[in-house]
Amino acid sequence: MIRISTIFIAICMVLVAASLGLVLYAVAGISGTESAIVALTALTFLILYNAVSMRLRDRSDVGGQIADLSRGTADLARQVAEYGRRLAAIEGRIASSNSTNSDRVQSVVGEINELGGLVRQLAATVSTHEDLLAGHAPAPAPAPATRPEPEAPIDLMAPFEERAAAPPPLPAPPRPTPPAVQTHTASAVSTVNGRNQTQMLVTLRNAIDENRIDIFLQPMVTLPQRKVRFYEAVTRVRDERDQLIAAEEFISIAEVSGLIGRIDNMVLLRCVQVLRRLMVRNKDVGVFCNVAASTLGNSTTFAQCLDFLEANRALAPSLVLEFKQSTFRGLGPAETENLAALAQRGFRFSIDHVTDLRIEPRELADRGVRFIKVPASLLLDPKQASTSDIHPSDLSDLLGRFGIDLIAERIEGERAVIDLLDYDVRFGQGFLFAPPRPLRPEGASATGGAASNPAQDIQGSNGSGTPSPGATSAAAPAAPSSRITGNAALARRI
């Protein structure tokens, strides 16, 4: 709608132009036609001037409105960003609460399984006592035996620097050793600590059924600070007399009999429980858990492990799955696919039992390997410089280019540490720093005794390693004790 002021201005412009033409006609004596032309020209200029002035005024008004709109849009954007930040904080709290509840549920499930194992042990003990009472047969008195002092249980909550140094192992009493029999045929019978293969298989089955699979922890430290960065879970089996059996003694029988999958599942459960305890105080700590090659190749057993690891996927950055070097070199299509499934879920891998330095870091990094454990004696062996493609002193730098950390294991002397520092080795593991130790009673896995073979404790896996020359190989029975863990201990006190 045309404003009144615009109409008034138009009338004024017409009057001014008509007056100019009339004055020229009457005073200056110009003809009527020329006076009309001059009047129209003046009117045109007036109209143009008014249009330009109105356009400039409207432009300034529109510019102010646009500036106000921009300020309002900026305020609205700030408010939306603030609401987004608050919403993200709320979602983070909800996710943290869900994760905490899931962790608590997993912990309760683990403790319930421990309680179930304790109830089965109690029922077996009561049944044995009832049989003895019914037959009026006195229980056989335990034969006195000389054994070394047990290792002190490891305290997961105390820093490594505050823990007491492990006492040196006492020499075991000498006893005659039978001649070694090395064979891989099924019909051959080899003896291990007085047990043949059949007896060892029965002992192993009973230990699995009665939940007597324990783990010892051996720390891996940074060099030269010697600060604990990781722990390796070492598997131990307790027999009916609570004597510890090292992995080197039963692992081959477990693989042949198909029991290794059940053992790996139990060890994974314990490792997850231990890792949750460790991460309460230190988020940067990690646990190495050994997995056998047969478990990786068995579809049924691996499916159970994968389901359990999927449920604990949040711990993937801190849970490292360890395999032998021979396992990686002999991977088939099924094993490769299963390994890729673990890597897709964020789990990292480690290689141990390294026998030579012919290593392809690019291929290993593509498969998810982030750690390689090499014996210190192999790294410091002068012969390796001529037999391998790379000098041992350059191995750490080469692996680091592909995101793989080198760990020197089986370190037994300070001299070896000094030499390894020249090789730029940043992590070390061995009897020099600490032997494998059982968990405290309230840990995820309590043990019936201490390590019975320090030389085998240096070996850190379910696989069979060769004991180092400086360690003793005598085995001694461990003192029996009751297994009380976590909420199970509280239940027994109640």
Side-chain angles (χ1 to χ4, degrees), residues 43 50 57 59 67 71 94 104 116 154 175 181 197 241 287 293 367 374 379 414 435 453 472 489-490:
L43 179 63
N50 182 67
R57 185 172 60 253
R59 180 175 296 177
R71 287 192 293 270
I94 294 176
R104 291 176 179 175
I154 189 171
R175 54 184 174 184
V181 179
Q197 289 186 353
R241 295 173 296 176
V287 172
R367 289 184 173 181
V374 181
L379 284 174
E414 294 290 347
N453 194 335
T472 177
L490 178 61

Side-chain angles (χ1 to χ4, degrees), residues 65-81:
Q65 294 176 359
I66 292 175
D68 294 339
L69 182 61
S70 299
R71 287 192 293 270
T73 304
D75 293 339
L76 181 61
R78 284 194 294 270
Q79 294 178 3
V80 171

